[in-house]
């Protein structure tokens, strides 16, 4: 492990796994935490206080849908009182002007709102909830009316990627200051839907050209962050800026992980804030030190000149695709396991199967993309 570990920049507070949407790319675990197992308001207040003492600067209230928690207003106020910059990551499907005005008064600093497409019909189909797009639009208007800065989070994939130019125009119309156009990351439920979500190379190239053109045209007006899919890359991205380097994620149960998918890794005992302080978790736990720095790396990562740039890529992806969290991320073309990624990219050139939707009840259903054969994918 590194001789010195800086404090985490941000705390991702996953308050709940409850959510009204059924997104087929949901990044939450396959086995969702039920409401009875969630941390209490008092537990979260203590975690926020420990985060501030540790040196955390930002807290991102997330889920699931964080507005499913009745104590969200109180937690925003607690974070504000502790001097933490608070960001709400939401679907916008469970609230409106009254809620967002109260959040703003309590000290909320920013809202990150997800959209599934610019088109209401396709957006609702992807979200698995009729009327979701209209709810989101009204919520965005309420955010701007409350004077809060707004970021639109546009999760893109094979079945909405052609609409990137229109999504950017939608963001302008809604008054967003920033847009995050992020390709689906293939973990958990999204991995089950990978064949339905992974874009073709043609789609990716066209979308990238559209983003670059919009960046030039809207410079100084709208900031556009763009995250390309790992599977079409040459080298891996720096997942979470490196394992245990900048982020600490607290799941609804209280389990602390370096990233949202880390709990899937076998052989690692991830600590809980119910029994451990945030400081001990960050500095002392084996879980957070396991893949810190570069000492853990094997070849070709160990001698790679990018080892302190991408930090070996994603440990969860390495396990998911290569069966070993310590191996080189298979999206890297230098990885001995890269063939599994190449095969998935080749598969994406065919017709996509139906979505398997994510329900909080864990009862998946399937539907076909408009105009395509109804080929069911095993759940």
């Amino acid at each position: 492990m590194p001789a010195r570990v800086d404090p985490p920049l941000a705390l991702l507070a996953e308050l709940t796994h409850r959510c009204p949407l059924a997104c087929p790319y949901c990044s939450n675990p396959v086995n969702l935490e039920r409401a009875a197992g969630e941390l209490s308001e008092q537990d979260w207040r203590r975690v926020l206080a420990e985060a501030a003492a540790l040196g955390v600067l930002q807290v991102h209230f997330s889920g699931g849908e964080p507005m499913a928690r009745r104590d969200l207003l109180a937690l925003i106020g607690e974070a504000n009182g502790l001097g933490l910059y608070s960001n709400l990551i939401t679907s916008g499907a469970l609230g409106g002007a009254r809620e967002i005005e109260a959040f703003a008064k309590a000290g909320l600093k920013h809202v990150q709102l997800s959209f599934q497409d610019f088109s209401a019909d396709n957006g609702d189909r992807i979200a698995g909830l009729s009327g979701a797009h209209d709810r989101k639009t009204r919520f965005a208007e309420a955010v701007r009316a409350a004077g809060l800065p707004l970021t639109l989070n546009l999760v893109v994939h094979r079945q909405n990627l052609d609409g990137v130019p229109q999504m950017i125009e939608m963001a302008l119309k809604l008054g967003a200051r920033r847009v995050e156009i992020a390709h689906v990351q293939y973990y958990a439920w999204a991995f089950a839907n990978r064949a339905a979500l992974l874009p073709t190379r043609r789609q990716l190239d066209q979308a990238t050209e559209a983003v670059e053109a919009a960046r030039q045209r809207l410079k100084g007006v709208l900031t556009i962050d763009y995250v390309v899919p790992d599977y079409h890359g040459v080298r891996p991205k720096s997942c979470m800026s490196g394992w245990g380097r900048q982020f600490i994620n607290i799941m609804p149960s209280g389990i602390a992980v370096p990233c949202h998918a880390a709990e899937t890794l076998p052989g690692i005992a991830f600590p809980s804030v119910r029994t451990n302080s945030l400081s001990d978790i960050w500095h002392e736990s084996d879980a957070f030190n396991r893949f810190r720095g570069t000492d853990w790396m094997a070849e070709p990562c160990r001698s790679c000149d990018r080892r302190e740039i991408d930090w070996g890529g994603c440990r969860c992806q390495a396990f998911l695709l290569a069966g070993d969290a310590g191996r080189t991320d298979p999206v890297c073309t230098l990885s001995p396991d890269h063939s599994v990624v190449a095969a998935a990219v080749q598969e994406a050139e065919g017709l996509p199967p139906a979505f398997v939707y994510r329900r909080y009840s864990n009862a998946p259903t399937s539907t076909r993309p408009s105009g395509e054969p109804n080929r069911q994918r095993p759940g």
Side-chain angles (χ1 to χ4, degrees), residues 87-312:
N87 174 41
L88 176 63
I89 303 174
T90 178
S91 69
L94 289 184
R98 182 179 63 180
E99 289 82 6
I100 201 64
E101 288 171 6
F103 294 161
K105 289 179 181 178
L108 185 68
K109 299 298 189 294
H110 181 269
V111 174
Q112 186 173 326
L113 175 63
S114 67
F115 273 85
Q116 279 67 39
D117 202 351
F118 73 92
S119 159
D121 288 345
N122 198 41
D124 289 355
R125 181 183 73 86
I126 295 168
L129 179 66
S130 178
H133 186 88
D134 289 343
R135 295 186 200 180
K136 292 168 179 288
T137 300
R138 291 193 297 269
F139 191 85
E141 293 167 350
V143 171
R144 298 302 296 124
L148 289 171
L150 173 66
T151 291
L152 290 198
N153 182 25
L154 307 174
V155 180
V156 294
H157 46 81
R158 181 172 185 158
Q159 300 193 32
N160 67 3
L161 191 56
D162 295 339
V164 162
Q166 293 91 334
M167 292 186 211
I168 293 173
E169 292 305 312
M170 177 183 69
L172 284 171
K173 182 179 179 181
L174 292 175
R177 295 183 183 178
R178 179 183 295 272
V179 171
E180 293 186 1
I181 303 175
H183 282 261
V184 168
Q185 301 295 300
Y186 299 102
Y187 314 105
W189 208 259
F191 188 73
N193 281 293
R194 186 179 67 182
L197 295 166
L198 187 62
T200 66
R201 186 71 204 202
R202 177 195 61 80
Q203 280 187 301
L204 175 61
D205 290 344
Q206 289 180 347
T208 301
E209 289 177 7
V211 168
E212 292 305 322
R215 279 175 166 170
Q216 292 297 319
R217 178 170 58 89
L218 300 173
K219 189 174 182 179
V221 177
L222 181 68
T223 299
I224 304 175
D225 294 331
Y226 183 54
V227 181
V228 299
D230 288 351
Y231 282 52
H232 286 288
V234 176
R235 297 290 180 269
K237 294 191 292 290
S238 174
C239 182
M240 303 297 288
S241 299
W243 180 279
R245 295 189 69 248
Q246 292 190 8
F247 298 93
I248 185 167
N249 183 0
I250 309 300
M251 302 178 71
S253 64
I255 297 296
V257 288
C259 74
H260 61 273
E263 198 184 18
T264 62
L265 301 182
I268 303 178
F270 289 100
S272 171
V273 296
R274 296 181 189 271
T275 54
N276 299 270
S277 73
L278 214 59
S279 179
D280 282 349
I281 290 171
W282 182 254
H283 290 289
E284 306 298 335
S285 70
D286 170 70
F288 276 77
N289 284 308
R290 180 71 65 95
F291 298 113
R292 269 188 178 136
T294 60
D295 289 348
W296 61 270
M297 293 180 180
E299 295 295 352
C301 292
R302 180 177 288 274
S303 58
C304 180
D305 59 7
R306 289 182 55 86
R307 63 187 178 277
E308 293 189 0
I309 298 174
D310 59 37
W311 302 100

Side-chain angles (χ1 to χ4, degrees), residues 125 157-160 192-200 203 344 346-356 367-377:
R125 181 183 73 86
H157 46 81
R158 181 172 185 158
Q159 300 193 32
N160 67 3
N193 281 293
R194 186 179 67 182
L197 295 166
L198 187 62
T200 66
Q203 280 187 301
Q346 182 61 39
E347 181 185 5
E349 298 298 325
L351 288 174
F355 282 150
V356 180
T367 191
R368 62 184 176 89
S370 300
E372 294 181 352
N374 187 13
R375 297 187 293 149
Q376 300 296 312
R377 179 173 175 81

